[in-house]
């Protein structure tokens, strides 16, 4: 059970917290001494808005579609090869 906490500044100027624990408020069995985290300010980097033209968007869509078609063709070739092998195995039996 936490009995009490003390906040102090050490010889290096660092704020610290000392917590006292025990089974009841009159008996201290352990202490924990730890630095208090310093709050740091975090600033989001300013977002740079880029102007994207309709032509650039259309070009990206066409590139994506071409990539999808190429991958589909690769899959079809693999499936055709698998079917061919399966047919050959069945004919051998």
């Amino acid at each position: 059970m936490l009995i009490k906490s003390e906040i102090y500044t050490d010889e290096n100027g660092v704020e610290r917290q000392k917590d006292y624990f025990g089974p009841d408020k009159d008996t201290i069995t352990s202490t924990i001494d730890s630095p208090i985290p310093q709050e740091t300010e975090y600033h989001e980097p300013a977002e740079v808005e880029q102007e994207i033209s309709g032509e650039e968007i259309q070009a990206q869509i066409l590139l994506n579609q071409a990539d999808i078609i190429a991958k589909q063709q690769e899959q079809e070739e693999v499936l055709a090869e698998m079917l061919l092998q399966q047919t050959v195995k069945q004919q051998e039996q």
Side-chain angles (χ1 to χ4, degrees):
M1 162 171 116
L2 177 63
I3 297 172
K4 72 175 183 173
S5 290
E6 294 177 341
I7 295 177
Y8 67 97
T9 303
D10 69 8
E11 63 276 358
N12 296 320
V14 176
E15 280 193 355
R16 301 186 66 84
Q17 179 172 337
K18 193 168 199 174
D19 296 325
Y20 298 88
F21 295 89
D24 56 54
K25 66 179 184 171
D26 297 323
T27 308
I28 295 174
T29 56
S30 65
T31 60
I32 296 178
D33 191 350
S34 58
I36 296 176
Q38 299 297 315
E39 293 197 24
T40 56
E41 290 185 28
Y42 176 76
H43 299 283
E44 292 281 335
E47 290 187 30
V48 178
E49 291 191 26
Q50 296 178 346
E51 297 271 336
I52 300 175
S53 70
E55 290 176 349
E56 289 175 315
I57 293 171
Q58 188 65 28
Q60 187 63 49
I61 290 171
L62 291 173
L63 287 171
N64 289 344
Q65 288 174 341
D67 189 43
I68 290 168
I69 291 169
K71 288 179 182 178
Q72 286 175 337
Q73 288 173 342
E74 288 175 11
Q75 290 174 350
E76 288 173 1
E77 289 175 15
V78 170
L79 287 173
E81 182 65 32
M82 291 171 63
L83 287 172
L84 179 62
Q85 288 178 3
Q86 197 173 37
T87 304
V88 169
K89 283 184 181 179
Q90 287 177 352
Q91 289 177 353
E92 290 176 350
Q93 292 176 352

